[in-house]
Amino acid sequence: MKIAVKVKANAKEDKIVPVDEKNFSVWVKEPPQENRANEAVRKIVSEYFDVAPSQVSIVKGALSPHKLLEIS
């Protein structure tokens, strides 16, 4: 399954909000440096979908706030 996320790094709390079936807004506390925000996004998405973080991969947008994730 593929989903689109819009990420806000340096947020006050970690949270995920569904916009619709395939689009989500994600807030993470981590800064967008040294891949820390991407790892936090993978973690929060994996918790939301109840899968292991290794099953969530960034297909597009590793350096962008707009990302395409694949959940296997």
Side-chain angles (χ1 to χ4, degrees):
M1 169 173 66
K2 291 185 180 178
I3 63 168
V5 297
K6 181 170 188 304
V7 178
K8 172 64 176 141
N10 287 326
K12 291 184 180 188
E13 62 179 334
D14 291 339
K15 68 178 180 176
I16 183 169
V17 176
V19 175
D20 60 34
E21 197 173 286
K22 297 283 185 177
N23 296 287
F24 295 83
S25 293
V26 178
W27 287 264
V28 293
K29 293 179 186 176
E30 296 294 332
Q33 297 159 343
E34 300 173 359
N35 211 31
R36 289 168 56 186
N38 286 340
E39 289 303 316
V41 168
R42 289 179 62 221
K43 182 179 179 221
I44 194 169
V45 169
S46 70
E47 289 171 357
Y48 183 84
F49 286 100
D50 197 27
V51 296
S54 62
Q55 292 182 293
V56 178
S57 60
I58 299 174
V59 177
K60 276 187 176 178
L63 300 177
S64 168
H66 299 277
K67 301 180 187 308
L68 181 63
L69 303 179
E70 184 169 19
I71 302 165
S72 54

